[in-house]
Amino acid sequence: MGNYYMIRRYDTNCHVYEFNPEVERLGISIGNKLRLTKLSSFGIDEEEFIDEHIVAKLNGGFFDALVENKFDIESFLDDGLFFSNSFSEYPILLYWKDSKKLEVKTKLTKKFCKDHADEIEFAVGVPYSLVIDGETNFCFSRDKLKKIYKEDPFQRAPRTMIGQKPNGTIVFIAAEGRSSDSVGFTINHSAYFMQNDLGCTTAVMVEGGDKTELMVNNSIKNKLSDGEEIPISSAFVAYSTTGTEKIEYSGVGYIVNLAKGQLLDLHKYPTDNSKVLHKIPLGTQINITSIDIQGHWYEISVSEGCATYRGWI
């Protein structure tokens, strides 16, 4: 499984999930095609990937999906299956299947997408880029950014970013904002953070603000600036066949599909930073006592030998 952590920069809590795309598959989803969807409701709907499970999700593309009952999410191509008719000046984030590389394009044509449909995993419009070829590059001049976004990129706000390091590692970023605890990033903070703190050679900004949200193992990691999830048009998703827990939904269940040798932390409380009471090995039978639906935590009891442990997973 990839690596989740939280670091603090510019008086802001920044949540990071990074993973190897050779191990976890990067994809994009438009969720329920008939309406905007909360990130927590995005799931796997591709039959060919029935054996996969989601390990991380990040709010995705630019603009809302439904405008007068039609999709309007700028340029969008997903495994050659769907492509919007909107070709604007906004940059495009491409992800190539074979090389598993992210690339920023400043212009995208229907002919290019048709010619390379079998090679492109997805392509999605983004508000602006942050880092291209290892250098800060917004794809727009400062004056143009001000004109388009009414100074917004230069104000502090919650920000959502996706990028890639030279070794291929993909990073999902959710920077909190609009609170006394986290004031948020500006566009300059975002570019510097992706390039210098994380070492990304490619990075873009995606739909942020109140929609900024990162989920890892079905748990929302960042503090939502609006206090609740905002429905979105698309999501970036990290899929895996190993490395996270799955539970049979009954009074008694088994932890299954853990990576070989992996142990699951049993926490005292339903939070990642609470005390770890025990390490649960592969195949252990558990009793599910209750479920915290909002946080996707399970209160369980588990017996090993003469000992019984109670806590949250």
Side-chain angles (χ1 to χ4, degrees):
M1 179 182 167
N3 183 33
Y4 163 77
Y5 56 94
M6 192 274 284
I7 58 179
R8 191 164 175 82
R9 291 290 185 274
Y10 309 114
D11 298 318
T12 297
N13 293 330
C14 189
H15 301 263
V16 182
Y17 182 75
E18 54 183 40
F19 61 96
N20 180 352
E22 297 286 352
V23 178
E24 295 177 14
R25 181 175 67 88
L26 173 63
I28 196 166
S29 173
I30 53 175
N32 188 326
K33 296 181 181 181
L34 299 180
R35 58 181 172 83
L36 298 178
T37 307
K38 293 180 179 180
L39 185 63
S40 59
S41 298
F42 276 76
I44 297 177
D45 53 12
E46 304 98 334
E47 292 185 3
E48 61 182 302
F49 299 117
I50 190 173
D51 294 329
E52 293 183 334
H53 53 273
I54 294 173
V55 291
K57 295 183 280 188
L58 184 75
N59 61 283
F62 191 30
F63 293 165
D64 289 338
L66 287 177
V67 178
E68 296 180 355
N69 297 319
K70 295 180 181 180
F71 280 95
D72 185 18
I73 47 179
E74 290 306 301
S75 301
F76 192 98
L77 174 70
D78 183 16
D79 200 22
L81 299 180
F82 172 80
F83 190 73
S84 77
N85 292 323
S86 177
F87 290 88
S88 72
E89 60 187 336
Y90 297 102
I92 312 297
L93 180 67
L94 273 75
Y95 184 59
W96 297 95
K97 287 183 181 179
D98 292 340
S99 64
K100 294 180 173 53
K101 294 293 184 182
L102 291 173
E103 181 183 359
V104 178
K105 290 278 190 182
T106 55
K107 185 175 179 58
L108 201 63
T109 65
K110 290 184 178 180
K111 184 179 186 306
F112 178 90
C113 292
K114 182 178 180 180
D115 292 344
H116 298 278
D118 293 336
E119 305 164 53
I120 299 172
E121 183 68 33
F122 63 76
V124 60
V126 298
Y128 44 84
S129 60
L130 296 169
V131 183
I132 299 177
D133 295 330
E135 301 291 336
T136 298
N137 187 332
F138 302 136
C139 285
F140 297 112
S141 68
R142 185 183 181 93
D143 289 341
K144 187 66 175 289
L145 282 167
K146 287 182 178 180
K147 181 179 179 181
I148 296 174
Y149 297 105
K150 314 300 182 186
E151 298 280 351
D152 183 64
F154 299 96
Q155 296 177 351
R156 289 185 173 238
R159 304 291 182 183
T160 309
M161 297 159 275
I162 181 174
Q164 188 168 39
K165 300 181 181 183
N167 65 0
T169 296
I170 303 289
V171 292
F172 289 172
I173 310 295
E176 296 177 0
R178 297 175 182 157
S179 73
S180 58
D181 181 56
S182 294
V183 292
F185 280 8
T186 67
I187 185 174
N188 293 320
H189 291 149
S190 302
Y192 189 91
F193 178 78
M194 296 299 281
Q195 181 182 355
N196 295 281
D197 285 282
L198 297 185
C200 291
T201 50
T202 300
V204 299
M205 186 77 69
V206 294
E207 187 75 281
D210 291 340
K211 297 178 181 179
T212 294
E213 184 177 356
L214 171 66
M215 297 188 70
V216 180
N217 285 343
N218 290 322
S219 176
I220 300 172
K221 295 302 183 182
N222 60 300
K223 183 185 296 184
L224 303 176
S225 64
D226 197 47
E228 62 182 3
E229 289 185 279
I230 304 298
I232 55 177
S233 61
S234 63
F236 295 101
V237 184
Y239 301 93
S240 180
T241 56
T242 60
T244 58
E245 68 276 14
K246 285 186 177 179
I247 299 171
E248 295 177 2
Y249 295 93
S250 61
V252 177
Y254 291 87
I255 300 171
V256 297
N257 206 28
L258 286 170
K260 185 177 182 180
Q262 184 177 352
L263 300 174
L264 180 66
D265 290 339
L266 178 67
H267 289 267
K268 185 174 182 179
Y269 302 110
T271 60
D272 285 326
N273 57 4
S274 67
K275 182 179 179 181
V276 176
L277 304 175
H278 187 60
K279 298 281 189 177
I280 305 175
L282 170 69
T284 303
Q285 181 172 325
I286 60 173
N287 295 300
I288 302 174
T289 306
S290 64
I291 302 175
D292 173 17
I293 296 296
Q294 183 175 2
H296 299 278
W297 287 80
Y298 298 82
E299 187 177 27
I300 70 162
S301 64
V302 58
S303 298
E304 292 188 12
C306 297
T308 297
Y309 302 91
R310 292 179 175 83
W312 293 84
I313 59 172

